[in-house]
Amino acid sequence: MKFVSTRGKAPAVCASEAIMQGLAPDGGLYVPQSFPPLTHLAIHEISSYPELAFEVLAPFFEDDPLREDLAEICMDAFNFPVPLVTLREQETVLELFHGPTAAFKDFGARFLAACMERMLAKQQRRLTILVATSGDTGGAVAAAFANRKGIDVKVLYPKGRVSGRQQQQLTCWGGNIQAYEVDGSFDDCQKMVKEAFMDKDISLQWGLSSANSINLGRLLPQSVYYVFASHLYNQAFGKKPTIIIPSGNVGNSCAAFWALTMGAPIERIVLSVNENRTIPDFLSSGTYQPRDSVQTLANAMDVGAPSNMERLFHLYPDTDTLARMLTAYSVDDPTIEATIKEVYGGLGYILCPHTATGERVRRDYFAGQPTIVVSTAHPAKFEQVVEPLIGTTIEVPENLAKLLDKNASFKAIGTDYKDLFN
Ligand SMILES: *Cc1c(COP(=O)(O)O)cnc(C)c1O
């Protein structure tokens, strides 16, 4: 099995090479050359999530140096529950927030970290991962790489622009994870990371690498929970579900399209977005126009130029096919607030602002139909938005509480990237 660049001007590589490289040398994103059909899956014989992950992912790692480690990698990475919860009748929620940082990014970050650690041991080298974060990504990456051998992580976040709980998740690790509070904006943080990569001396000396969401090692494992949930849904309801996915950079939804392509029993994939309307506008106008992002209550989805669209354009090169496969609806902030209130009032179920966009889309367009809304984060991560709306405090889940109790430390620096390497 080989992986090719969406831009078609880079050599095909195996999975572990694509994972260690991140971006393809031609600037494109790695995608599988073909999608192995799931027909080999004896789903009834599979007893655990890590076992299913292994079965789904093994064909992608055929002839790969990591193939011999794959079962162990899956057990290491997916060591938390993945419940499909029924809200009412055929309406379900796939809770992807039971990992260490209580958001779905734990799946991809933990799989990537487990792969990288083993590859570095085989190659007997070290590397340093740089991450600029406006909140959630950095936390998932820091948690996933904490105490991994051969890897140091430097996380940069903008001073005063992340929530207290987010900051705690960036700064509580110690050991091989160093947090930097940058006296500047998120854009400054991103600029510093870029400058460090362009500084050839530093880049070579430190073995700089990234772990951002375009890495194949984060996307592939996300396909697994769509295979898992659609089969589980089928067993419970005897029907194929429509899956509604709160989306920003479209990594999570791209993984769902890959699962569908492999033959997972999915009726339809629907994206819910916030007021960043690039994709719904594309579907109604036929013209794809990336733009600057706008800030919303569902801030992990504040993306105006979704990078994984490049993978969807590659999967469905014909615009008519893409338009037929893809459905997307936008939900604005007042409607997010109203939906959190409505669902708590009606069912006692608490939604995070991102998941609220998905539940709104279900209620407006798919009410009563066989559906899975993907819950991307635990509401306790966004208590400042959610608690005033529901008029009560949200119980912090055990995994998150553990992190909030740890001692924190960070280095305060300006916007000179060289200060990251002193
Ligand atoms: C990252 C994130 C999203 C968006 O996922 P994409 O893969 O970027 O589309 C949605 N919700 C939460 C909570 C996130 O952290």
Side-chain angles (χ1 to χ4, degrees), residues 153-365:
V153 178
K154 295 175 182 293
V155 192
L156 292 69
Y157 64 93
K159 181 178 178 179
R161 315 267 179 104
V162 301
S163 78
R165 282 186 187 174
Q166 279 177 331
Q167 176 161 340
Q168 176 67 21
Q169 288 170 63
L170 299 170
T171 55
C172 71
W173 302 100
N176 63 331
I177 314 289
Q178 177 65 56
Y180 293 90
E181 182 178 87
V182 173
D183 193 4
S185 64
F186 173 57
D187 290 335
D188 290 323
C189 296
Q190 276 192 309
K191 190 159 156 263
M192 291 164 75
V193 169
K194 279 196 188 130
E195 286 168 344
F197 276 105
M198 283 186 328
D199 185 326
K200 286 281 173 281
D201 291 339
I202 283 189
S203 181
L204 267 179
Q205 184 194 337
W206 289 77
L208 293 187
S209 180
S210 67
N212 54 30
S213 66
I214 51 92
N215 192 303
L216 180 76
R218 288 184 52 175
L219 210 72
L220 264 186
Q222 293 176 350
S223 292
V224 174
Y225 46 71
Y226 292 109
V227 175
F228 172 75
S230 57
H231 273 108
L232 212 60
Y233 193 96
N234 255 269
Q235 283 169 7
F237 298 95
K239 287 176 186 156
K240 285 189 185 182
T242 289
I243 302 187
I244 304 169
I245 308 171
S247 298
N249 239 335
V250 191
N252 204 7
S253 29
C254 181
F257 280 102
W258 286 4
L260 177 71
T261 309
M262 285 185 267
I266 297 168
E267 176 67 25
R268 183 160 197 86
I269 293 166
V270 175
L271 278 56
S272 62
V273 300
N274 56 25
E275 287 170 74
N276 291 279
R277 296 178 215 272
T278 306
I279 296 169
D281 287 356
F282 161 57
L283 293 173
S284 58
S285 72
T287 316
Y288 183 63
Q289 220 155 43
R291 58 198 77 163
D292 289 342
S293 64
V294 297
Q295 277 187 19
T296 75
L297 292 175
N299 61 10
M301 293 159 43
D302 290 349
V303 180
S307 41
N308 282 298
M309 277 305 284
E310 189 164 331
R311 283 186 164 119
L312 285 188
F313 286 124
H314 189 267
L315 184 63
Y316 303 117
D318 164 52
T319 313
D320 287 345
T321 311
L322 178 58
R324 190 159 43 77
M325 298 303 291
L326 191 59
T327 312
Y329 300 100
S330 163
V331 177
D332 64 18
D333 275 356
T335 313
I336 287 175
E337 293 181 322
T339 305
I340 291 171
K341 277 190 191 171
E342 178 184 326
V343 173
Y344 182 67
L347 302 169
Y349 190 80
I350 308 175
L351 301 169
C352 89
H354 311 83
T355 310
T357 64
E359 185 58 31
R360 185 75 261 153
V361 166
R362 166 154 62 197
R363 289 180 176 218
D364 287 351
Y365 302 97

Side-chain angles (χ1 to χ4, degrees), residues 356-403:
T357 64
E359 185 58 31
R360 185 75 261 153
V361 166
R362 166 154 62 197
R363 289 180 176 218
D364 287 351
Y365 302 97
F366 300 92
Q369 295 184 36
T371 39
I372 299 174
V373 166
V374 173
S375 180
T376 51
H378 193 285
K381 295 193 83 164
F382 303 95
E383 84 285 5
Q384 284 153 330
V385 175
V386 179
E387 286 181 352
L389 295 168
I390 61 173
T392 178
T393 52
I394 306 166
E395 199 182 324
V396 178
E398 202 183 321
N399 44 355
L400 206 54
K402 261 196 240 162
L403 302 189

